[in-house]
């Protein structure tokens, strides 16, 4: 589904108020996408596999990419030493205070731990070479500034449509529309999380015992 198709659906559900209302719908849709991407848990379709980040030798920090939202609870960051037969080592997250106060990380070498502070990744130990990073994280989706599609409109169109409609209906103070859009939003949200969990569990090697 494209942005303009979603706008047309919202316009119809609001009672055909005319195309002059479309600009407001688009503005609210972009704002609602930002709000959805600030949820404490994010859906599978925002996952991004990034292998482009590279550390700088003798520099402790790497700035997170501009679209970074959250780390993935189900995967780890890996550091790759391309000069040593592509040695790959898992890099585990910790708190800055815990890692900064550890005497174990006094010598610069291949990092084993990291902390996220605002928009900076702090590595411990400080890297002694330009190591590559292999990392899955949640990233912001394409902004609907033009008539394109994005992951929200592909995987969860009803969620973005109903959330946008709900916001507009609230400002129109239309009680009936608020109730309708709220019901649609709750159903779409529940469906998205059910799909997310199904994808997490599908084909897992389930077994009993330790």
């Amino acid at each position: 589904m494209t942005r303009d198709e979603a706008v047309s659906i919202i316009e119809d559900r609001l009672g055909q108020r005319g195309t002059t209302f479309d600009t407001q719908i688009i503005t609210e849709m972009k704002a609602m996408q930002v709000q959805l991407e600030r949820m404490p848990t994010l859906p599978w379709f925002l996952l991004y596999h990034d292998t482009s980040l590279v550390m700088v030798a003798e520099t402790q920090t790497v700035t997170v990419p501009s679209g970074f939202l959250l780390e993935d609870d189900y995967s780890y960051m890996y550091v790759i030493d391309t000069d040593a037969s592509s040695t790959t080592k898992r890099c585990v997250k910790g708190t800055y205070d815990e890692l900064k106060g550890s005497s174990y990380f006094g010598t610069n070498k291949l990092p084993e731990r990291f902390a996220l502070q605002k928009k900076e990744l702090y590595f411990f130990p400080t890297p002694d070479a330009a190591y590559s990073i292999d990392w899955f994280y949640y990233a912001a989706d394409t902004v609907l500034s033009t008539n394109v599609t994005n992951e929200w409109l592909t995987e969860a169109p009803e969620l973005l449509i109903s959330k946008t409609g709900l916001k507009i209906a609230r400002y129109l103070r239309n009680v009936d529309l608020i109730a309708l859009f709220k019901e649609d939003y709750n159903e779409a949200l529940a469906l998205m999380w059910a799909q997310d969990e199904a994808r997490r569990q599908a084909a897992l090697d389930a077994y009993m015992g330790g």
Side-chain angles (χ1 to χ4, degrees), residues 1 9 13 152-153 155-163 181 184-185 187-188:
M1 180 180 294
I9 291 173
R13 293 180 184 178
W152 287 106
L153 290 180
E155 302 292 348
E158 183 60 38
L159 185 65
L160 185 56
I161 287 170
S162 57
K163 188 166 182 64
F181 277 115
D184 290 343
Y185 173 75
E187 289 180 358

Side-chain angles (χ1 to χ4, degrees), residues 97-107 109 124-125:
D97 285 349
E98 167 203 358
L99 299 175
K100 185 68 174 178
S102 174
S103 59
Y104 177 72
F105 300 122
T107 303
K109 58 181 180 179
F124 300 86

Side-chain angles (χ1 to χ4, degrees), residues 6-61:
V7 168
S8 180
I9 291 173
I10 295 169
E11 184 183 302
D12 288 342
R13 293 180 184 178
L14 288 170
Q16 287 290 351
R17 295 171 179 271
T19 56
T20 55
F21 202 48
D22 289 358
T23 299
Q24 182 180 350
I25 294 175
I26 292 168
T27 301
E28 292 288 0
M29 186 180 293
K30 291 193 290 185
M32 292 305 97
Q33 179 179 322
V34 171
Q35 192 173 101
L36 286 169
E37 290 175 352
R38 295 299 180 268
M39 293 188 294
T41 303
L42 294 172
W44 83 93
F45 54 80
L46 294 183
L47 270 177
Y48 179 69
H49 185 206
D50 195 342
T51 58
S52 66
L53 297 176
V54 179
M55 301 176 192
V56 176
E58 315 304 327
T59 300
Q60 188 178 26
T61 60

Side-chain angles (χ1 to χ4, degrees), residues 86-107:
S86 295
T87 298
T88 300
K89 187 175 185 65
R90 194 172 80 181
C91 196
V92 180
K93 187 178 182 181
T95 66
Y96 181 82
D97 285 349
E98 167 203 358
L99 299 175
K100 185 68 174 178
S102 174
S103 59
Y104 177 72
F105 300 122
T107 303

Side-chain angles (χ1 to χ4, degrees), residues 141-161:
D141 201 2
T142 301
V143 178
L144 296 169
S145 299
T146 58
N147 184 31
V148 296
T149 190
N150 65 6
E151 293 293 339
W152 287 106
L153 290 180
T154 299
E155 302 292 348
E158 183 60 38
L159 185 65
L160 185 56
I161 287 170

Side-chain angles (χ1 to χ4, degrees), residues 187-202:
E187 289 180 358
L189 185 64
L191 176 60
M192 184 185 73
W193 290 131
Q195 290 177 317
D196 188 86
E197 183 60 22
R199 289 174 63 90
R200 295 290 187 190
Q201 298 299 325

Side-chain angles (χ1 to χ4, degrees), residues 170-208:
R170 288 182 61 206
Y171 285 106
L172 292 174
R173 294 176 173 80
N174 188 314
V175 176
D176 291 337
L177 284 176
I178 291 172
L180 289 171
F181 277 115
K182 187 173 184 179
E183 183 178 353
D184 290 343
Y185 173 75
N186 288 336
E187 289 180 358
L189 185 64
L191 176 60
M192 184 185 73
W193 290 131
Q195 290 177 317
D196 188 86
E197 183 60 22
R199 289 174 63 90
R200 295 290 187 190
Q201 298 299 325
L204 282 180
D205 186 12
Y207 61 93
M208 297 181 63

